[in-house]
Amino acid sequence: QVQLVESGGGLVQAGGSLRLSCAASGRTFSNYGMGWFRQAPGKEREFVAGISWSGVETNYADSVKGRFTISRDNAKRTVYLQMNSLKPEDTAVYYCAVSTKNYFGWSDYRRYDYWGQGTQVTVSS
């Protein structure tokens, strides 16, 4: 089992920045890739970013490329999502998840097990 706790969400004006954190406990964190997803009201959960176990490989949704950066600190068992130049359309609940089925693509939710509870990000215009 893996437990994930997201933090760092909040209310920010358009153009601002936030850094989300996802702290993991349980299984050996450094063995697994990690992903961030988000879900806005009335919309399906969508992929935001993913990172391999080593941090060497990263993958981003087109909508966040150049604005968001995913990183990880295996010693701290934490994955981060630095979000810059935020837009109102980035408003959503953000979730982190553990990548356990690497035969699915990064953006495929079936790749992931063990989801966190989510943290709310609200971007005002």
Side-chain angles (χ1 to χ4, degrees):
Q1 281 287 58
V2 176
Q3 292 78 45
L4 302 173
V5 178
E6 301 97 336
S7 61
L11 173 64
V12 64
Q13 288 189 330
S17 298
L18 283 174
R19 187 175 83 153
L20 306 184
S21 299
C22 171
S25 60
R27 279 187 176 179
T28 306
F29 173 77
S30 59
N31 288 353
Y32 297 95
M34 298 290 294
W36 284 98
F37 281 70
R38 67 187 181 186
Q39 188 167 19
K43 295 187 177 181
E44 292 188 352
R45 192 170 298 191
E46 65 172 355
F47 172 75
V48 176
I51 189 167
S52 62
W53 67 270
S54 64
V56 170
E57 179 186 357
T58 58
N59 191 276
Y60 296 92
D62 287 343
S63 59
V64 306
K65 276 181 184 174
R67 299 189 299 122
F68 291 11
T69 303
I70 189 170
S71 62
R72 66 189 296 160
D73 185 335
N74 286 340
K76 294 183 178 180
R77 304 172 64 86
T78 301
V79 64
Y80 304 98
L81 186 68
Q82 177 66 44
M83 306 187 296
N84 298 329
S85 302
L86 283 161
K87 305 175 180 180
E89 51 263 44
D90 294 318
T91 295
V93 177
Y94 284 70
Y95 301 89
C96 63
V98 180
S99 168
T100 59
K101 306 180 191 72
N102 294 349
Y103 42 86
F104 292 113
W106 280 105
S107 63
D108 192 328
Y109 74 94
R110 295 172 295 177
R111 180 185 179 112
Y112 302 88
D113 288 309
Y114 310 112
W115 295 78
Q117 297 281 57
T119 185
Q120 175 71 48
V121 171
T122 303
V123 184
S124 63
S125 56

